[in-house]
Amino acid sequence: MRKIGKSLSEQESFHIKEDVYKELVRKLEHERKRTHKGGGDKALQKMKDKGKMPARERIARLIDKGTNFFELNTFAAHGMYEEYGGAPGSGTIFGIGKIHGRDCVVVANDSTVKAGAWFPITCKKNLRAQEIAIENRLPVIYLVDSAGVFLPLQDDIFPDKEHFGRIFRNNAKMSAMGIPQIAAIMGPCVAGGAYLPIMSDEALIVKGEGSVFLAGAHLVKAAIGEITDNDTLGGAVVQSNISGVTDYIMENDEECIDQVRSLIEKFGAQPKAGFSRETPKLPAFPEKEIYGILPGDAIKQYDTYELIARIVDGSEIDEYKAGYGKSLITAYARIDGWAVGIVANQRAVVKSEKGEMQVGGVIYSDSADKASRFIMNCNQKKIPLLFLQDVTGFMVGTKAEHGGIIKDGAKMVNAVANSVVPKITIIVGNSYGAGNYAMCGKAYDPRFIFAYPAAKISVMGGSQAANVLMDIKTKQFEKAGKVLDEETKLKMYDEIRDSYESKSSPLYAAARLWVDEVIDPAKTREYISRSIEAVNNNPFFEEFKLGVIQV
């Protein structure tokens, strides 16, 4: 084990970077606060005037006092559905909270956003919540208060495999797996949405506010001519005492939430995965110094060892193959006491043992080979993997191709894809092309995936993409016997680059659930530790096997 890192806070460049990154974090937290307001202050007050608790207050009462709610997918639907007035958080809040000391996934409809209606991304967010519950064997609490599917977009949420029906399928599968599900019906629960709480193991319903039916009073009249009202049709008393659909009648939100807590308090203990944890130690350097290490411009370089030194306990690592494949750092360490295996892109230019200069953020053949072996070691030793992504891709060119870069890259991708220990990914900076895959992007099933505020996620950088597309357009014009003047070329280049840059931003990715959360770098240890604590709840492991690889 060796100490890494050095003091950087006296350097002028440190403070310049720090100011830039603090501004990025300030903007991020402004967006977070705005999203937390859901449908806005008026909608929140209207809900309170009806005697109902807003969704965030319900969650605060549900989880143990003095604990934090580990919220995920906060920025779902950010910047989307603007033609319908927007859908902050996609009208749903979800995350992991402790209830009587037990980790539980909590999913709450925010009825201040379009009456809690389900947009396509709302469905995707709920499926992600269920996926996390399944992967980590966590009980699920649904706080239901929704008007059902957002009808103008029904074709994007109703019939496909990963659409609305998949949620009820997952309800059934989770129940068969022994994962408890409790639904608290605290508002309307309409049509297909009625199946979610009723396919849960137990359902509570609040008198006067909660209701469950396949068709509301207006639709019943239109369909069969019967005149009724929603409470008579499917209110708390009807569904609990007459139909037997729900299990507990609650007088109000507060009593309902307290009853949910009482039910969870009686759950039996479950085995753990048994990942190694010792008494935590703080890094030798303040975590907030990460602001002064990372450049606001993703093109610029920095020493990744300095980033790691502000994340790991004691700023100490056991580095694997330190002198080989230097464009990737592979090391064992502890974070908040938890043992982890770190695979990180080195963003500084390094010199290989052969005397060749290796560009920062690029994966070379020797680095891919090293990472493949390290991932296999972590699987053998039952150590969770942490990927710190700042990658511009694999090395290209004649020399790289002759050296078998595709073969070595495929070997790394194979190891990442078949890894059975939990994987956690943080996109620190760039996440381009096949580098995203090799460093455990969303397609490779990280249990949790986060991004820093300066992250960039796309096939390639905006400038590179603009150059490639401009070359193509120029040739197309030349074939047609036309010539583009320099002013037109520059305008087209800027439009392409700006479009690419906007679609590679972390908030764009978070809106579409490509990442679970955009996080403040100064809270990196907290997010990693909380993630490992969650994954430690699943004791079941498949046997680690590799497919056919070219060695």
Side-chain angles (χ1 to χ4, degrees):
M1 182 171 285
R2 69 181 178 95
K3 289 265 189 183
I4 56 171
K6 58 187 176 184
S7 179
L8 301 170
S9 58
E10 299 304 317
Q11 298 177 9
E12 184 180 353
S13 61
F14 175 92
H15 294 289
I16 293 171
K17 292 177 184 176
E18 184 181 43
D19 288 343
V20 171
Y21 222 98
K22 279 183 176 179
E23 180 62 13
L24 288 174
V25 172
R26 186 196 67 77
K27 289 179 179 178
L28 172 70
E29 294 311 314
H30 172 76
E31 290 299 326
R32 195 186 306 277
K33 286 179 182 177
R34 193 170 71 164
T35 303
H36 280 185
K37 286 190 174 182
D41 293 332
K42 287 184 178 179
L44 286 166
Q45 189 57 51
K46 185 177 179 181
M47 192 172 181
K48 290 180 179 180
D49 291 344
K50 292 175 66 178
K52 298 176 68 173
M53 298 175 72
R56 291 190 179 278
E57 290 184 18
R58 289 169 176 170
I59 293 170
R61 188 180 182 99
L62 179 64
I63 65 174
D64 295 345
K65 289 182 180 179
T67 63
N68 293 323
F69 184 57
F70 187 52
E71 186 171 355
L72 301 165
N73 294 154
T74 303
F75 299 106
H78 179 84
M80 300 172 68
Y81 311 124
E82 295 300 324
E83 65 271 37
Y84 302 107
S90 77
T92 302
I93 302 163
F94 110 81
I96 300 172
K98 287 199 175 293
I99 304 175
H100 290 290
R102 181 189 294 268
D103 277 338
C104 297
V105 170
V106 181
V107 185
N109 296 120
D110 183 356
S111 62
T112 68
V113 179
K114 300 289 188 296
W118 288 58
F119 288 78
I121 287 294
T122 314
C123 183
K124 189 174 180 180
K125 185 170 178 176
N126 277 262
L127 287 171
R128 177 62 178 148
Q130 290 182 323
E131 182 179 43
I132 286 173
I134 291 168
E135 288 181 335
N136 303 296
R137 295 298 197 275
L138 300 178
V140 188
I141 315 303
Y142 303 104
L143 305 181
V144 185
D145 192 348
S146 171
V149 167
F150 187 68
L151 292 177
L153 298 174
Q154 63 85 25
D155 58 319
D156 290 325
I157 191 174
F158 168 65
D160 208 349
K161 181 178 179 180
E162 298 299 329
H163 283 178
F164 205 36
R166 189 75 172 183
I167 290 169
F168 317 138
R169 175 264 189 194
N170 287 350
N171 288 140
K173 288 287 187 180
M174 284 192 286
S175 187
M177 292 169 68
I179 298 172
Q181 300 168 85
I182 296 176
I185 302 167
M186 312 174 88
C189 192
V190 184
Y195 285 103
L196 185 147
I198 307 312
M199 292 194 70
S200 299
D201 303 313
E202 293 184 274
L204 303 81
I205 187 167
V206 176
K207 190 186 295 184
E209 290 295 340
S211 57
V212 188
F213 35 68
L214 293 181
H218 292 297
L219 184 55
V220 167
K221 182 180 179 182
I224 63 173
E226 181 184 351
I227 298 174
T228 183
D229 61 76
N230 286 343
D231 197 52
T232 304
L233 192 63
V237 174
V238 169
Q239 296 292 29
S240 294
N241 297 348
I242 297 176
S243 70
V245 167
T246 53
D247 307 307
Y248 306 88
I249 300 177
M250 300 288 106
E251 290 296 323
N252 51 46
D253 285 2
E254 290 84 354
E255 184 184 55
C256 185
I257 291 166
D258 292 346
Q259 181 65 37
V260 172
R261 284 184 55 82
S262 181
L263 293 171
I264 294 170
E265 188 264 336
K266 297 169 181 66
F267 286 3
Q270 296 291 325
K272 303 285 186 183
F275 297 125
S276 173
R277 193 180 197 189
E278 294 184 352
T279 303
K281 291 193 294 185
L282 291 174
F285 308 93
E287 200 172 3
K288 282 194 174 183
E289 286 189 0
I290 294 174
Y291 297 153
I293 292 168
L294 301 175
D297 184 345
I299 296 174
K300 294 180 180 177
Q301 296 173 332
Y302 60 91
D303 187 350
T304 304
Y305 286 103
E306 297 298 341
L307 169 63
I308 295 171
R310 284 147 181 87
I311 295 173
V312 301
D313 290 11
S315 299
E316 296 173 327
I317 61 172
D318 292 311
E319 187 166 8
Y320 177 77
K321 291 185 178 291
Y324 178 70
K326 291 183 179 180
S327 73
L328 277 178
I329 299 168
T330 50
Y332 304 105
R334 289 190 181 273
I335 296 176
D336 197 32
W338 295 103
V340 295
I342 298 171
V343 182
N345 299 109
Q346 171 57 295
R347 284 291 285 131
V349 174
V350 294
K351 184 183 287 187
S352 73
E353 289 302 300
K354 297 177 182 178
E356 299 166 343
M357 300 307 294
Q358 296 189 343
V359 180
V362 176
I363 302 175
Y364 291 76
S365 282
D366 54 0
S367 302
D369 174 66
K370 176 173 77 169
S372 301
R373 297 193 205 183
F374 182 72
I375 290 165
M376 288 188 272
N377 283 342
C378 288
N379 275 271
Q380 185 185 57
K381 298 169 184 175
K382 206 165 78 170
I383 299 173
L385 282 158
L386 171 65
F387 291 84
L388 298 177
Q389 273 200 26
D390 196 341
V391 57
T392 53
F394 286 90
M395 190 58 190
V396 297
T398 305
K399 188 173 182 179
E401 296 295 354
H402 291 185
I405 186 65
I406 295 177
K407 174 187 67 177
D408 291 318
K411 184 163 52 176
M412 182 177 173
V413 169
N414 197 315
V416 172
N418 285 296
S419 177
V420 297
V421 293
K423 297 167 289 193
I424 298 162
T425 300
I426 298 179
I427 302 174
V428 173
N430 301 298
S431 181
Y432 294 155
N436 171 282
Y437 304 156
M439 291 295 292
C440 198
K442 186 65 183 285
Y444 288 79
D445 299 320
R447 295 285 183 93
F448 297 94
I449 180 168
F450 308 112
Y452 281 175
K456 297 285 183 185
I457 306 164
S458 60
V459 171
M460 63 181 76
S463 297
Q464 295 95 317
N467 280 321
V468 171
L469 292 171
M470 277 304 302
D471 283 346
I472 294 170
K473 284 183 177 292
T474 300
K475 288 174 182 177
Q476 287 173 342
F477 271 82
E478 288 173 353
K479 283 183 179 179
K482 300 176 182 178
V483 178
L484 282 172
D485 61 76
E486 289 304 314
E487 185 179 347
T488 303
K489 279 185 179 180
L490 185 60
K491 184 180 178 182
M492 289 175 66
Y493 175 89
D494 289 341
E495 288 175 352
I496 295 168
R497 184 198 59 200
D498 292 346
S499 174
Y500 229 81
E501 290 291 338
S502 67
K503 292 179 180 179
S504 65
S505 77
L507 283 178
Y508 188 91
R512 290 152 182 81
L513 275 61
W514 302 346
V515 296
D516 288 319
E517 196 70 18
V518 185
I519 68 172
D520 180 347
K523 296 180 180 179
T524 302
R525 282 169 55 83
E526 177 186 335
Y527 274 88
I528 294 170
S529 177
R530 196 68 186 85
S531 297
I532 299 176
E533 187 176 10
V535 304
N536 195 43
N537 284 284
N538 184 358
F540 304 108
F541 283 88
E542 298 176 16
E543 183 183 354
F544 177 62
K545 297 178 182 178
L546 282 178
V548 176
I549 59 172
Q550 293 183 315
V551 295

